Amino acid sequence: MKTRCVFSTPDLTAARAAMAAARAAGVDDGDISLVAREDIELEKIPDHLMQGRNDFYPAAVRGGVCGGGTGLLLGLAAAAVPPLGVTLAGAAAMTVAGAAFGTCIGEMVGFEVPDVVSRRFKDEIAAGRILVVIDASKDRLGVAEPAVARTGATPLPFHAHTVLT
């Protein structure tokens, strides 16, 4: 499991220095991303460094789990009531249908919801600062965080476990 940490930098030059320090500390390129105001993103930041700006994937997973759980409970309840005549295979089908429906709804909702980093540090982003987001193991972060901080990047109060990275 990886842990996500976030640093704030005043401009793209400082963000690049922070990224170079993270790479030198052993963090893979795919585990480093940037978050910035849309006008800065469009003009200056390459697409491969941009972090998704919405909560699409986590919301899809949550929707699938909740929908599947609901489908399972409804299917088992329907199987327990004799006049309905639902078999265990029918309950399994209701579980799959609930998971599919929940995933679809979760994706639609998540597409419109900003990701957790963008929500938490919206004032930093609005002020024109560029956030450097690093996802790495605890051991790798132990080396990378001090190295990135030495470049002048400001560590922000955010450490979260990531599952979908």
Side-chain angles (χ1 to χ4, degrees):
M1 179 167 295
K2 295 180 180 180
T3 300
R4 177 170 288 170
C5 68
V6 181
F7 293 86
S8 178
T9 60
D11 55 32
L12 189 56
T13 303
R16 286 189 175 144
M19 291 169 51
R23 282 189 206 103
V27 178
D28 294 331
D29 270 344
D31 293 333
I32 303 170
S33 58
L34 302 177
V35 178
R37 213 172 48 211
E38 286 187 27
D39 60 317
I40 295 171
E41 287 178 1
L42 294 174
E43 292 177 18
K44 300 179 180 178
I45 299 175
D47 287 340
H48 72 279
L49 295 176
M50 291 310 304
Q51 177 176 311
R53 295 192 55 91
N54 58 40
D55 207 26
F56 183 81
Y57 292 111
V61 171
R62 286 190 301 269
V65 169
C66 291
T70 302
L72 176 64
L73 291 175
L74 290 175
L76 291 176
V81 177
L84 295 178
V86 175
T87 64
L88 289 179
M94 291 177 79
T95 301
V96 171
F101 182 73
T103 299
C104 181
I105 296 299
E107 289 172 347
M108 288 189 288
V109 170
F111 190 71
E112 293 298 321
V113 175
D115 70 298
V116 67
V117 172
S118 296
R119 285 192 310 261
R120 180 136 180 217
F121 301 111
K122 64 184 176 193
D123 294 337
E124 288 279 325
I125 295 167
R129 301 184 65 76
I130 299 174
L131 305 183
V132 178
V133 181
I134 300 172
D135 293 321
S137 66
K138 286 272 190 191
D139 297 338
R140 186 77 60 205
L141 280 179
V143 175
E145 284 184 295
V148 172
R150 282 192 296 272
T151 68
T154 305
L156 296 176
F158 186 88
H159 280 80
H161 295 295
T162 57
V163 176
L164 297 173
T165 58

